[in-house]
Amino acid sequence: MSSDPLVIGPSPLRRLTNREYLNALRDLFPDVSVDVPQLPSDNAVAGFENAAEAQDPSDVRIARTEEIANLYAEAATTRDGGVAALVGCVDVSSDDAAMRCGAQFVSAIGARVPSGHVVRQFMRVIRLALACDLTRVVTFLAPVPQCTELGYPGSETVHGYAHQSILGSTSCGQMYNPVAERAMTDLDAWHAAHLAYLLQELDAVPEGAGTLLDHTVVVWLTELATPTHQHHDAHVVLAGGCNGFFETGRYVRYPRTLSNPLVNQPLTGPPHNRLLVSLMQA
């Protein structure tokens, strides 16, 4: 047995296999039937068709893949009522109508695979990657769920609600709406539930005298502090023992005593970079 240390390198990119590609198109367009040209066979390695080293796409494969995609697009949009059936509307006569039509399309297509289901799948992948020591750092950007997942009309968007959610503040010309405030609260609860699921997954992995969660720090943060694009009141949640580096079980609110680099904006608290430095030292 070799005594050389195991080196974990980057995971290679791989394309979809023929079966995965065609199944994805059928899932996206369940009412469309297309006679497709034959794709070049996938090269199997040790019985697996998705081995990255055997997946270099040939010119023929690239051309056939594009041809099949065009066939599906043509079949979905040229048949009678095809566009309406696909996107749920055809009126793009104004910017507002086009936005509503686009929102309906995203809602109809995205609802087939709820983003919450996808998030939980990634939480399990994160647990496996850390438990197998394939990596020591994971960054996950959660998708924005459709309003229907939160119990709100499909014609609305989370982005639109965000700009209306702060009492006494406006953003992008939007006025306060109590329904929007409630929707953003529900969005935070949606994210918090997935964070709790990740923590449960990590805490279920024994490691040394504790669990994987005891030796990890999970950071939940947002790219903006408030839904109306302000930079004060930025929340950060730290969870996990991180071998005792961070003192847990606390709620800390820093006073806003520093001037804001933006003109006519509220005072701010300590720089966000201080948190990043602490994480690097953990």
Side-chain angles (χ1 to χ4, degrees):
M1 181 178 294
S2 174
S3 60
D4 294 336
L6 178 63
V7 177
I8 304 298
S11 177
L13 295 175
R14 69 174 188 86
R15 60 167 175 80
L16 297 177
T17 65
N18 293 349
R19 182 182 296 109
E20 290 169 338
Y21 177 64
L22 295 176
N23 284 343
L25 288 172
R26 295 188 188 103
D27 287 342
L28 287 172
F29 305 99
D31 299 325
V32 175
S33 178
V34 175
D35 292 327
V36 299
Q38 184 174 0
L39 287 164
S41 299
D42 289 314
N43 295 322
V45 176
F48 294 95
E49 296 176 342
N50 58 356
E53 62 268 24
Q55 285 195 324
D56 290 338
S58 64
D59 291 341
V60 173
R61 175 176 293 280
I62 294 173
R64 292 279 175 83
T65 300
E66 182 181 9
E67 181 183 357
I68 292 172
N70 288 334
L71 287 172
Y72 265 91
E74 182 178 2
T77 56
T78 57
R79 60 196 174 100
D80 291 341
V83 174
L86 182 63
V87 304
C89 58
V90 293
D91 180 15
V92 292
S93 57
S94 67
D95 289 343
D96 287 342
M99 286 292 291
R100 288 194 298 269
C101 190
Q104 289 184 34
F105 172 74
V106 172
S107 178
I109 296 299
R112 294 177 187 170
V113 181
S115 52
H117 175 71
V118 175
V119 171
R120 295 212 168 197
Q121 288 181 322
F122 271 103
M123 298 297 100
R124 291 192 288 270
V125 170
I126 291 172
R127 179 203 67 198
L128 290 171
L130 294 175
C132 296
D133 204 20
L134 297 178
T135 183
R136 299 294 176 91
V137 179
V138 175
T139 301
F140 178 72
L141 176 62
V144 178
Q146 297 303 309
C147 284
T148 51
E149 288 191 61
L150 304 176
Y152 294 87
S155 58
E156 301 293 341
T157 65
V158 169
H159 189 193
Y161 275 144
H163 288 171
Q164 307 170 43
S165 63
I166 303 297
L167 181 62
S169 178
T170 62
S171 180
C172 301
Q174 301 293 311
M175 300 303 294
Y176 169 73
N177 179 355
V179 174
E181 181 180 13
R182 187 170 66 250
M184 296 309 295
T185 300
D186 290 340
L187 174 65
D188 286 341
W190 185 88
H191 282 118
H194 292 301
L195 173 69
Y197 180 79
L198 173 61
L199 300 181
Q200 291 171 359
E201 289 287 295
L202 299 181
D203 199 38
V205 179
E207 187 176 79
T211 69
L212 182 57
L213 181 61
D214 294 325
H215 308 137
T216 304
V217 60
V218 179
V219 185
W220 175 24
L221 45 73
T222 176
E223 73 276 14
L224 288 172
T226 73
T228 50
H229 297 251
Q230 300 296 321
H231 296 128
H232 61 279
D233 285 343
H235 78 268
V236 177
V237 175
L238 300 181
C242 200
N243 295 310
F245 186 89
F246 291 104
E247 183 180 350
T248 59
R250 299 185 301 155
Y251 172 80
V252 180
R253 184 176 181 86
Y254 292 97
R256 300 202 315 242
T257 58
L258 303 178
S259 61
N260 196 312
L262 301 178
V263 179
N264 297 325
Q265 295 297 315
L267 296 176
T268 66
H272 177 72
N273 288 346
R274 289 177 57 182
L275 169 65
L276 303 182
V277 171
S278 296
L279 291 171
M280 293 294 293
Q281 294 176 336

